[in-house]
Amino acid sequence: MPLARSVSVTSLTGLEDWEDEINLENAVLFEVAWEVANKVGGIYTVLQTKAKITSDEWGENYFLLGPYLEQNVRTQVELIDPPHPAVRRTIDSMNTKGCKFVAQCEEKPFVIGHFHEWLAGVGLILCRIRKLPVATIFTTHATLLGRYLCAGSVDFYNNLNFNVDKEAGDRQIYHRYCMERAAVHCTHVFTTVSQITAVEAEHLLKRKPDLVTPNGLNVKKFSAMHEFQNLHAQSKAHIQEFVRGHFYGHLDFNLDKTLFFFIAGRYEFSNKGADIFLEALARLNYLLRVNGSQVTVVTFFIMPARTNNFNVESLKGQAVRKQLWDTANAVKEKFGKKLYESLLVGNLPDMNKMLDKEDFTMMKRAIFATQRHSFPPVCTHNMLDDSTDPVLNTIRRLGLFNSSADRVKVIFHPEFLSSTSPLLPVDYEEFVRGCHLGVFPSYYEPWGYTPAECTVMGIPSISTNLSGFGCFMEEHIADPSAYGIYILDRRFRALDDSCTQLTSFLYSFCQQSRRQRIIQRNRTERLSDLLDWKYLGRYYMSARHMALAKAFPDNFTYEPPEETAAQGFRYPRPASVPPSPSISRHSSPHHSETEEDDERYDEEEEAEKDRRNIKPPAMTGPVPEWRRPPKKGSSEASTSSNASNASTPTMPSSPSDPSSPSSSIIEERN
């Protein structure tokens, strides 16, 4: 299902057009992966979302090959007779030889075989050993050895010169590693999904990737820009209903001043950054309490783990909430009927007679049912490994027990979200839309679809410079934080310094007003064009052209772009003041949330400023206009000076630590 966004950037003026000069009528593309119609991880999303733009380019000459799994075929595959006559004859021939299902074309086609990950790499190796006339591409979405090393708490990125054979053998993956490495060295074109994974692959697989092919999404555009903001409000209301039930008896915080944070993905405690996130939440809890903040943060951990059922206390909370709702509706209906009858005869209602003893008894029973002497549960399910679970043990160590004094509440939901759940009946997309911030401080994340999905839905997110998504955004955006993309430094900082920086990001986000969050969501959503396959699909197109030129040099040529040529485009810093609490200005020293919400903000005008400022980055030569320092005496210099002199909120910490929250919460750049 395509993710939806609004029409805010109608044209990417800085994006270079890539003309397709290759005749594809006599070429065939086969894409091979274990996750074709077989959801295991992110590769499934890559293939599923990329299929439309690839089929638009190749038409009936595009084929996906994957494992035949009966259950998946029933739910995800529409069985039809192949329209291509050569494929039809091939399948008939294979069926006669006992295959479930060696093309028989009149004219020899140019065949491209694109293989994803080591599981599909066996076919690539055999194609080269048998010297088949096939142009091959191999894409690694994450190196096999890299994932194992990071899972073992190794200082990975500072020690990339491993004895790879020994490390693979020690982890009993040597044969799989050899297949992956052989596929990398046999293929005509080797690609990976991000610059950070390219560095990893060069050290572990001993070949530098020819191209980086970032992962994209299908982006569905709304006709009006405010629609995705309305969807955020609707989805947030559903999450608030769950929170009312989960925290019954302890609902002593204002839901209108409550922010929803979340982390989601595979349950890899360290790789996904759950460890540093929990530590930062404990520090955030302290800062909000000592500073007397009225903001409450409810944080969701959506990571599937081994459970046997829902937690009884969690189910009871939703039942109590529903009972209160039914009681309120029953009293409201009786009240409305009496009011109607009184007005019907021309009398003003006697308020002392509108509610009788039965109504008060009913309400007292409902209130009594909400009394609770224990804290709201941290986990929504019964964990099979409760005593050894890393998330729960860290929560116990940090003391995040959802007490009334805590300004940060934690909810661990160890199951994928579903709209049919009796506990939290929302699907993942709706849940993400209802949250305020996605936090993904991963240590090992070759790409990172979760922050990308947040961006498309206009939800700010925190990622790292060790994730493919974070590196991609740093490359394409001059000031990512101004667009709601916070990049945590986990590559060049110590763990404690990274945790301090993450705490700073979270605390500054909690200080934003509602209006500032709306502006930031608008800016975040405008970055969706960067992640659309209509743009990123061109990298795959370039890889195919390169493979054809290498495999069939007499028929195809490929000229790589010069290093000095501008590639893609780069978002400058927003033309207006970024949504930071450190530089908010008001007409009076005392302001209210209502006054702030009433200030004029024109989204069309804001988007148009960004469109005018988009410039292609030049590798050499003169500095682009948006990167040149302003001339002295100019209005730009004055604005820049004012922004740099603005005060920023501080937090108590060691003054000797430059990365501590005592420094600027959001760095102001000229």
Side-chain angles (χ1 to χ4, degrees):
M1 177 182 178
L3 300 175
R5 63 163 303 239
S6 66
V7 182
S8 53
V9 179
T10 56
S11 63
L12 306 179
T13 56
L15 181 59
E16 179 184 5
D17 288 332
W18 296 1
E19 296 295 338
D20 185 4
E21 300 176 352
I22 294 182
N23 184 3
L24 301 178
E25 293 182 359
N26 196 31
V28 180
L29 171 62
F30 289 92
E31 207 156 358
V32 188
W34 183 253
E35 295 196 35
V36 172
N38 177 35
K39 185 174 178 58
V40 178
I43 302 175
Y44 173 88
T45 305
V46 174
L47 298 171
Q48 183 193 49
T49 57
K50 186 171 64 68
K52 184 181 185 303
I53 191 170
T54 309
S55 60
D56 289 344
E57 178 190 359
W58 288 80
E60 296 179 355
N61 292 349
Y62 174 50
F63 303 93
L64 285 163
L65 299 181
Y68 186 92
L69 302 175
E70 189 67 33
Q71 180 62 30
N72 292 341
V73 170
R74 291 177 181 176
T75 57
Q76 300 188 49
V77 178
E78 181 182 357
L79 299 177
I80 59 174
D81 292 329
H84 200 291
V87 176
R88 186 161 54 244
R89 289 195 298 270
T90 300
I91 294 176
D92 292 340
S93 174
M94 294 175 69
N95 285 333
T96 59
K97 297 175 182 177
C99 296
K100 178 69 176 176
F101 193 62
V102 201
Q104 305 172 20
C105 300
E106 292 81 2
E107 183 179 353
K108 182 179 178 181
F110 299 105
V111 179
I112 301 176
H114 191 157
F115 301 84
H116 295 264
E117 289 296 311
W118 67 272
L119 286 164
V122 177
L124 186 153
I125 297 170
L126 291 176
C127 284
R128 298 309 305 275
I129 290 176
R130 298 175 182 178
K131 299 182 179 180
L132 298 181
V134 176
T136 57
I137 305 171
F138 183 77
T139 298
T140 179
H141 298 259
T143 68
L144 186 65
L145 184 56
R147 191 176 292 279
Y148 272 82
L149 287 170
C150 288
S153 301
V154 173
D155 188 8
F156 183 65
Y157 292 99
N158 291 324
N159 301 281
L160 282 171
N161 294 317
F162 294 97
N163 184 338
V164 291
D165 293 315
K166 179 182 182 300
E167 296 290 349
D170 291 345
R171 287 158 177 79
Q172 300 181 1
I173 59 169
Y174 185 70
H175 297 87
R176 283 180 281 170
Y177 167 75
C178 287
M179 284 195 292
E180 181 182 41
R181 185 168 171 178
V184 167
H185 286 270
C186 286
T187 187
H188 291 105
V189 175
F190 173 40
T191 74
T192 188
V193 297
S194 64
Q195 294 289 352
I196 193 70
T197 312
V199 174
E200 172 190 341
E202 185 175 1
H203 285 82
L204 301 186
L205 300 176
K206 307 305 180 183
R207 178 178 174 180
K208 183 178 180 179
D210 300 292
L211 284 173
V212 171
T213 52
N215 293 333
L217 289 164
N218 283 335
V219 177
K220 175 186 175 183
K221 297 183 178 181
F222 289 131
S223 57
M225 274 177 281
H226 61 270
E227 289 187 29
F228 86 96
Q229 295 280 10
N230 294 338
L231 288 176
H232 166 73
Q234 295 168 12
S235 300
K236 183 178 68 173
H238 293 160
I239 299 176
Q240 287 176 334
E241 282 300 294
F242 166 80
V243 169
R244 289 187 176 99
H246 191 82
F247 290 93
Y248 82 91
H250 291 272
L251 198 64
D252 49 3
F253 51 91
N254 187 352
L255 281 176
D256 290 333
K257 295 183 179 180
T258 298
L259 303 178
F260 298 133
F261 297 172
F262 81 99
I263 181 175
R266 288 188 303 273
Y267 196 4
E268 298 177 5
F269 184 65
S270 298
N271 280 0
K272 295 298 182 183
D275 52 353
I276 189 176
F277 187 26
L278 281 169
E279 182 67 38
L281 287 175
R283 299 183 185 186
L284 175 66
N285 186 41
Y286 170 78
L287 290 173
L288 294 176
R289 290 171 62 179
V290 299
N291 288 291
S293 175
Q294 297 300 311
V295 173
T296 300
V297 174
V298 177
T299 304
F300 293 86
F301 284 72
I302 312 296
M303 293 179 162
R306 297 177 61 205
T307 64
N308 58 17
N309 212 330
F310 292 107
N311 186 307
V312 173
E313 191 65 20
S314 297
L315 290 173
K316 180 183 176 182
Q318 301 308 313
V320 169
R321 179 194 61 79
K322 186 177 185 304
Q323 180 186 13
L324 281 173
W325 179 257
D326 293 341
T327 300
N329 278 334
V331 173
K332 182 180 69 173
E333 185 176 349
K334 292 178 63 177
F335 185 95
K337 185 177 180 181
K338 291 179 181 180
L339 177 63
Y340 169 72
E341 291 176 350
S342 177
L343 296 177
L344 196 62
V345 297
N347 296 327
L348 290 175
D350 185 353
M351 300 306 297
N352 295 323
K353 296 181 180 180
M354 295 301 291
L355 296 177
D356 52 30
K357 292 184 178 180
E358 181 181 354
D359 297 327
F360 281 102
T361 301
M362 187 186 307
M363 290 187 290
K364 287 179 180 179
R365 287 176 179 172
I367 294 174
F368 183 78
T370 64
Q371 294 181 0
R372 174 191 267 174
H373 301 291
S374 60
F375 292 149
V378 169
C379 186
T380 59
H381 292 60
N382 295 322
M383 301 289 290
L384 291 179
D385 302 316
D386 184 284
S387 61
T388 59
D389 184 81
V391 167
L392 295 181
N393 280 339
T394 305
I395 289 174
R396 295 180 184 116
R397 177 176 62 82
L398 297 173
L400 294 174
F401 297 130
N402 294 339
S403 69
S404 298
D406 288 331
R407 296 270 55 83
V408 173
K409 320 286 185 180
V410 177
I411 300 176
F412 181 23
H413 190 280
E415 189 177 70
F416 284 127
L417 296 172
S418 171
S419 58
T420 60
S421 170
L423 195 64
L424 182 55
V426 294
D427 58 25
Y428 179 72
E429 180 181 342
E430 183 180 6
F431 173 80
V432 172
R433 285 193 182 280
C435 289
H436 297 91
L437 181 69
V439 185
F440 314 102
S442 304
Y443 183 75
Y444 185 79
E445 190 68 79
W447 176 247
Y449 258 121
T450 42
E453 290 167 336
C454 286
T455 302
V456 170
M457 289 185 272
I459 303 300
S461 64
I462 298 176
S463 57
T464 74
N465 58 357
L466 291 181
S467 72
F469 173 84
C471 295
F472 180 81
M473 285 307 196
E474 279 190 319
E475 180 184 356
H476 285 80
I477 307 173
D479 186 4
S481 62
Y483 286 91
I485 308 294
Y486 300 90
I487 310 298
L488 180 67
D489 185 0
R490 294 206 64 181
R491 188 174 187 183
F492 305 109
R493 292 194 185 198
L495 182 61
D496 187 67
D497 292 339
S498 297
C499 186
T500 300
Q501 185 186 24
L502 177 56
T503 307
S504 174
F505 287 158
L506 298 176
Y507 186 69
S508 68
F509 190 87
C510 291
Q511 290 183 307
Q512 289 183 5
S513 67
R514 179 176 177 271
R515 175 178 176 270
Q516 289 169 332
R517 293 196 301 270
I518 291 174
I519 294 174
Q520 190 175 61
R521 281 197 297 272
N522 287 331
R523 289 178 178 169
T524 302
E525 191 270 345
R526 285 205 294 276
L527 300 178
S528 298
D529 293 290
L530 277 175
L531 302 172
D532 198 333
W533 275 122
K534 293 177 182 178
Y535 169 43
L536 298 181
R538 301 179 180 188
Y539 292 99
Y540 278 84
M541 185 188 302
S542 182
R544 293 191 287 266
H545 293 181
M546 182 186 294
L548 286 171
K550 287 187 176 183
F552 310 107
D554 296 335
N555 303 92
F556 301 96
T557 59
Y558 175 81
E559 296 182 2
E562 299 179 3
E563 293 185 358
T564 57
Q567 298 179 4
F569 65 94
R570 183 174 171 88
Y571 275 84
R573 194 167 186 230
S576 62
V577 177
S580 166
S582 62
I583 50 178
S584 300
R585 296 179 176 87
H586 304 277
S587 57
S588 63
H590 301 286
H591 60 276
S592 66
E593 186 81 3
T594 305
E595 290 175 353
E596 212 164 40
D597 291 344
D598 290 339
E599 292 182 28
R600 180 180 176 274
Y601 171 70
D602 191 332
E603 167 61 18
E604 285 287 356
E605 180 180 347
E606 180 82 9
E608 182 58 32
K609 290 178 181 177
D610 280 350
R611 282 198 291 269
R612 289 196 303 266
N613 282 330
I614 291 176
K615 302 287 185 182
M619 304 296 293
T620 60
V623 179
E625 287 294 332
W626 55 269
R627 296 182 63 183
R628 290 178 184 163
K631 297 179 180 179
K632 292 184 178 180
S634 66
S635 59
E636 290 182 349
S638 175
T639 303
S640 176
S641 175
N642 291 337
S644 63
N645 292 330
S647 60
T648 57
T650 60
M651 298 181 283
S653 63
S654 172
S656 61
D657 184 359
S659 63
S660 68
S662 61
S663 59
S664 297
I665 295 299
I666 294 181
E667 180 183 1
E668 291 302 320
R669 305 175 188 175
N670 292 332

